[in-house]
Amino acid sequence: MNMIQALNSAMDILLTQNPDVVMFGEDSGYFGGVFNATDKLQAKHGAHRVFDTPINEAAIAAMAIGMAAKGLKPVAEIQFSDYIFPAFDQIVSEMSRIRYRSAGQFTSGCVLRSPWGGGIRGGQTHSMSPEAFFTHIPGVKVAIPSNPYDAKGMLIAAAEGNDPVIFFEPKRIYNGPFDGVPDAPLKSWAKHPKGEVPEGHYRVELGKAEVTREGSACTVVTYGTLVHVAEHAAEKSGIDAEIIDLKSLSPYDIDTIAASVNKTGRAIVAHEAPRTSGFGAELAAQIQEDCFYALEAPVLRLTGWDTPYPHAHEWAYFPIQSRFIRAMEAVTKAV
Amino acid sequence: MSNTNARFHVPTAPFRPGETPDFSNLDLQKAGDAPRPDPGIDAGETASLATGLVGVLDHNHQAVGEWDPKLKADLLREGLSHMVLTRIYDERMLKLQRQGKMSFYMKSTGEEAVAVAAAMALDKSDMVFPSYRQQGILFARGRNIVDMMCHCISNSRDNLKGRQLPVHYTWAEGNFFTISGNLGTQFPQAVGYAMACAYKGEDQVAASWIGDGTTAEGDFHSALTLASTYRAPVILNVVNNQWAISTYQGIAKGDAPTFAAKGLGYGLASLRVDGNDFLAVYAATRWARERATAGKGATLIELFTYRAAAHSTSDDPSKYRPKNEETAWPLGDPIERLKQHLIGIGEWDEDRHEKLEEEMTKLVVKSYKDAESYGTLHDGPLAPTESIFEDVTETPDWRLRRQRQELGI
Ligand SMILES: Cc1ncc(C[n+]2csc(CCOP(=O)(O)OP(=O)(O)O)c2C)c(N)n1
């Protein structure tokens, strides 16, 4: 399966197994979503369970909150993560705090899925990685899968949990992994081990990272599309980097990170989003705190620049494979 | 050609401090004049109701016209009693705030009918999504007053563990949704809740209340759009008390004829109702509820009223409006009007009213003593400090466990 098929399969299973699950979003119903993620689900499960919404992200989030308060399990879609900001107030001020401010009398467990990240010539408003805005909100979980297997298992786990989850889907790798070389031909998930996705129900629990490549020279902590770029950079350069796919950003798996950095003594934190106050800052600070005596070099941040996401110069902005190799060289040479 | 009105228009309140308020120009439809159509009618047919004024109690305090809900005297006395209690509670809490017993308070003086009559017209199982000024709902639904006070003084019995500012009540057992400080957010949430009721095939409806000022928020538009699109069984109340802190209602309303009229453009049944008329509020809420449970969708109700008290304990209205403007308000006082109505039909008298007030005052004073026995904000006991780390998510993760240790608990 590719990632879209895996997500579709997860949603099909959720709808089949739990009558309280409902799905909605802009173009998500009849049409099946602009990326086909909800393809055929309306026809199969009915218009009350999978439906189109007005173009109003605040309304989508608010509707999810209200429905969750009544015991439904909304799995809603925000068409692009770049357009999640109209819903920001509902997420920050409401969804994230309903359990807390009501001392557990009301909860708002729901999932907001949203295509995320760059690498598709999406320009400023179809490429953003806004995860750091959300990791700064106590009360919402943030998850970003990097492959079809995790996408399905994590989406099921997110929807079966009782907390609100912002679920970002790296759209660059919906159809195949990306090795971080802009002009390289498209690859398919068919040849990737994580493209093998069981048909049935399974969960990949949130909050757990995975070492996707073991190594000893340095640790790379990343998520989403860049997991693949990092892996290819390690192979290409021959630098024996250990790659950690974070998967969950809030909460994130400090134990897996610390164990790795304590072993390698060197760390790169990498994301597509701009550097300043990006999630990498949190990771770097926590690594510094937990692994100070093991560190042999400053923690390096490999990120998008502190600019809006550009169109024509996309590959000068995006942390491509060559930048990963340079960062790995820098961090392993530094004393 | 030059534009002699080159500058944009900034609406201003009709009367400012030092001026004498005169509402005689306010063209309000007389009680009894508005027709009461079948609740199942097309939304478009409510146009005259959205710009008129649904009223039952006339200037002689008699119930007139088609909207008279013809309630039994017992029910009217119950409504009166909830409203009196609401007002006495508010007075007492304001005093206690002034004495430093709580950090903040907001009264609902003059708006008691908007909350109490609506709550009584709803089913107890209907979920309410109020703003911070419908405490009357809690009294109408029988919430324990000691519990309400314990919340306001954030003590060890506060059911919100001291996490929220005073008056931000939550009471799941009473189907009273958690109040938010962020204006308007609950309006579209109520629609989602109502959709879920319909999804589950239940007869329950949802109702929400926001102020005139808050209608300017995007969430007002979101709620009306959702309610219209999905024909949700929801009642969307706009409490037009003429003021949003210091801002008069014309700033939010612009040149629209009424707030209720805004609902028409969304295809929603829309009513403007005399918010100081207990019977009218009750009747309109029943009508909207009937409409909702018949699958005809939402109703927007503008409750035309006046915020008689300061916005909050942090506000001084004498800086932006004439003193005692509320006494010039043509729709009077909701408690006085229901009281006079009951007296007029021989079901109440001044003595009984005085006794009721005494009884309620005693109840409130005694309740506060009880409440203080569970602690006060300043002297404690409060909820255990470690409880600040609970309920963020279902189970605290390592970050909260570490932070709790850092705080030494
Ligand atoms: C989103 C948001 N903006 C501003 C405020 C500050 N604020 C609190 S109450 C209020 C006025 C609300 O007026 P209105 O909606 O008319 O309700 P009323 O207080 O008259 O009942 C304002 C501006 C807030 N709480 N939330």
Side-chain angles (χ1 to χ4, degrees):
Chain A
M1 286 186 201
N2 66 28
M3 221 155 145
I4 290 288
Q5 291 160 334
L7 290 163
N8 186 273
S9 164
M11 289 189 269
D12 189 22
I13 287 168
L14 289 166
L15 285 160
T16 304
Q17 296 193 344
N18 182 355
D20 289 335
V21 169
V22 286
M23 291 173 186
F24 47 88
E26 297 157 17
D27 305 294
S28 306
Y30 182 83
F31 181 58
V34 293
F35 290 101
N36 291 336
T38 50
D39 188 37
K40 298 195 173 65
L41 295 180
Q42 184 180 71
K44 180 165 176 194
H45 298 280
H48 291 99
R49 306 204 58 205
V50 184
F51 54 92
D52 292 319
T53 67
I55 304 171
N56 182 331
E57 291 74 16
I60 291 170
M63 192 167 28
I65 293 166
M67 288 177 159
K70 176 67 188 163
L72 295 190
K73 172 58 76 174
V75 179
E77 176 176 297
I78 303 290
Q79 203 159 72
F80 287 88
S81 65
D82 311 63
Y83 305 130
I84 200 168
F85 299 103
F88 202 56
D89 184 40
Q90 285 287 347
I91 297 168
V92 182
S93 315
E94 301 291 319
M95 192 182 286
S96 73
R97 289 194 209 144
I98 279 176
R99 180 191 290 274
Y100 192 74
R101 78 169 191 239
S102 71
Q105 293 178 67
F106 292 97
T107 54
S108 49
C110 62
V111 182
L112 292 187
R113 298 175 36 239
S114 191
W116 164 96
I120 60 149
R121 279 276 185 254
Q124 288 184 27
T125 58
H126 301 81
S127 308
M128 277 187 78
S129 304
E131 61 274 14
F133 292 102
F134 297 92
T135 55
H136 195 57
I137 309 171
V140 287
K141 295 186 169 174
V142 179
I144 308 180
S146 72
N147 58 71
Y149 179 86
D150 286 346
K152 176 170 175 179
M154 285 166 67
L155 184 58
I156 290 175
E160 291 180 349
N162 294 319
D163 295 311
V165 181
I166 308 292
F167 192 88
F168 287 129
E169 303 166 1
K171 56 188 171 302
R172 179 64 177 85
I173 54 174
Y174 268 157
N175 294 311
F178 177 55
D179 57 16
V181 177
D183 297 327
L186 280 182
K187 289 188 176 173
S188 114
W189 282 112
K191 293 188 194 86
H192 195 283
K194 293 280 176 74
E196 227 165 88
V197 178
E199 293 288 338
H201 176 281
Y202 67 95
R203 294 158 66 125
V204 174
E205 293 305 330
L206 304 186
K208 290 251 178 304
E210 182 179 336
V211 176
T212 63
R213 182 191 190 281
E214 285 192 23
S216 56
C218 65
T219 299
V220 179
V221 187
T222 190
Y223 46 90
T225 307
L226 295 189
V227 171
H228 305 279
V229 181
E231 285 170 2
H232 281 89
E235 298 312 322
K236 186 77 184 288
S237 64
I239 297 172
D240 188 25
E242 180 146 303
I243 314 294
I244 296 178
D245 178 358
L246 212 47
K247 301 188 202 184
S248 273
L249 278 69
S250 188
Y252 60 98
D253 180 355
I254 190 61
D255 293 342
T256 298
I257 298 170
S260 174
V261 177
N262 283 332
K263 179 178 81 178
T264 64
R266 296 162 198 268
I268 296 169
V269 296
H271 53 66
E272 296 174 37
R275 181 166 307 166
T276 302
S277 302
F279 192 62
E282 165 63 27
L283 292 172
Q286 199 61 51
I287 290 170
Q288 182 273 144
E289 214 172 278
D290 282 28
C291 311
F292 184 76
Y293 296 103
L295 283 173
E296 292 172 46
V299 178
L300 198 151
R301 281 187 286 170
L302 173 58
T303 67
W305 310 123
D306 285 340
T307 69
Y309 197 105
H311 183 244
H313 290 295
E314 168 153 56
W315 300 119
Y317 174 95
F318 193 97
I320 53 174
Q321 195 186 94
S322 54
R323 274 177 66 199
F324 263 90
I325 293 172
R326 283 210 302 279
M328 288 168 176
E329 285 167 356
V331 85
T332 47
K333 277 188 196 124
V335 275
Chain B
M1 237 175 60
S2 78
N3 183 347
T4 50
N5 275 325
R7 291 188 168 170
F8 55 78
H9 172 62
V10 180
T12 184
F15 313 107
R16 289 299 191 185
E19 295 174 350
T20 307
D22 173 8
F23 293 106
S24 55
N25 288 346
L26 215 55
D27 183 23
L28 297 173
Q29 189 174 24
K30 277 209 205 65
D33 281 1
R36 182 187 183 281
D38 185 273
I41 59 161
D42 283 351
E45 290 176 46
T46 60
S48 68
L49 294 163
T51 49
L53 191 74
V54 170
V56 174
L57 290 171
D58 70 8
H59 57 284
N60 290 321
H61 309 298
Q62 287 185 341
V64 293
E66 295 173 14
W67 284 91
D68 180 5
K70 302 221 161 41
L71 301 175
K72 293 223 167 69
D74 272 350
L75 206 112
L76 294 180
R77 278 190 293 263
E78 188 195 327
L80 183 70
S81 149
H82 293 320
M83 292 202 289
V84 166
L85 177 56
T86 307
R87 186 163 298 179
I88 288 170
Y89 176 87
D90 275 354
E91 291 299 337
R92 191 75 199 166
M93 297 302 265
L94 175 78
K95 255 190 218 132
L96 291 163
Q97 193 278 339
R98 293 296 186 232
Q99 291 167 14
K101 307 271 193 186
M102 66 196 102
S103 57
F104 177 78
Y105 193 72
M106 298 177 105
K107 296 167 80 183
S108 61
T109 315
E111 300 172 42
E112 292 89 348
V114 159
V116 171
M120 289 176 68
L122 293 171
D123 202 281
K124 287 225 156 117
S125 67
D126 294 338
M127 183 62 82
V128 296
F129 291 73
S131 86
Y132 45 69
R133 219 184 285 286
Q134 288 84 44
Q135 46 265 54
I137 298 171
L138 291 166
F139 297 111
R141 287 198 164 175
R143 180 141 195 234
N144 183 316
I145 302 168
V146 177
D147 285 338
M148 289 175 66
M149 290 171 158
C150 286
H151 157 62
C152 287
I153 57 176
S154 294
N155 66 16
S156 64
R157 187 171 145 174
D158 175 7
N159 74 331
L160 305 183
K161 304 187 182 172
R163 290 174 187 159
Q164 282 255 61
L165 266 186
V167 310
H168 289 63
Y169 305 101
T170 301
W171 187 40
E173 226 181 291
N175 291 312
F176 187 99
F177 196 66
T178 168
I179 292 178
S180 173
N182 296 67
L183 293 173
T185 48
Q186 77 279 14
F187 225 44
Q189 292 167 11
V191 183
Y193 190 94
M195 290 168 69
C197 295
Y199 177 90
K200 289 183 172 248
E202 293 174 10
D203 264 349
Q204 199 185 4
V205 308
S208 188
W209 287 255
I210 61 168
D212 46 280
T214 304
T215 61
E217 290 282 0
D219 279 336
F220 175 72
H221 166 71
S222 299
L224 270 59
T225 302
L226 290 179
S228 175
T229 301
Y230 301 111
R231 258 176 240 162
V234 66
I235 305 173
L236 297 170
N237 296 293
V238 174
V239 184
N240 178 5
N241 63 13
Q242 315 301 320
W243 293 96
I245 309 185
S246 74
T247 307
Y248 108 103
Q249 49 90 21
I251 293 283
K253 187 169 74 60
D255 288 331
T258 64
F259 287 99
K262 298 195 178 209
L264 299 172
Y266 292 84
L268 294 178
S270 306
L271 313 173
R272 187 165 67 146
V273 177
D274 178 348
N276 291 8
D277 178 340
F278 182 91
L279 294 173
V281 176
Y282 188 99
T285 308
R286 287 303 299 178
W287 187 92
R289 194 180 188 284
E290 236 178 284
R291 182 175 176 80
T293 50
K296 300 288 182 181
T299 303
L300 180 73
I301 304 180
E302 172 182 351
L303 288 319
F304 202 65
T305 182
Y306 188 88
R307 193 197 79 213
H311 170 72
S312 72
T313 49
S314 317
D315 174 50
D316 173 8
S318 72
K319 295 210 169 112
Y320 53 82
R321 69 184 192 189
K323 272 210 172 75
N324 303 326
E325 192 176 66
E326 72 278 8
T327 56
W329 182 246
L331 298 177
D333 177 272
I335 295 181
E336 190 58 23
R337 284 174 71 191
L338 184 58
K339 174 187 160 190
Q340 293 305 333
H341 173 65
L342 272 164
I343 292 175
I345 57 173
E347 293 286 354
W348 197 241
D349 57 49
E350 292 290 353
D351 268 4
R352 287 172 81 177
H353 196 82
E354 213 170 287
K355 271 208 200 92
L356 174 69
E357 287 181 338
E358 269 167 33
E359 201 184 299
M360 295 301 172
T361 306
K362 264 192 213 142
L363 174 65
V364 168
V365 170
K366 182 184 173 307
S367 299
Y368 187 72
K369 277 210 188 86
D370 282 2
E372 266 200 335
S373 74
Y374 296 95
T376 61
L377 176 61
H378 297 296
D379 300 325
L382 310 175
T385 309
E386 62 266 30
S387 71
I388 68 171
F389 297 106
E390 295 161 4
D391 301 322
V392 177
T393 47
E394 189 177 32
T395 30
D397 59 64
W398 63 272
R399 298 169 302 181
L400 288 179
R401 291 198 301 273
R402 280 196 194 182
Q403 287 164 29
R404 181 182 152 167
Q405 272 172 5
E406 203 177 314
L407 189 56
I409 47 181

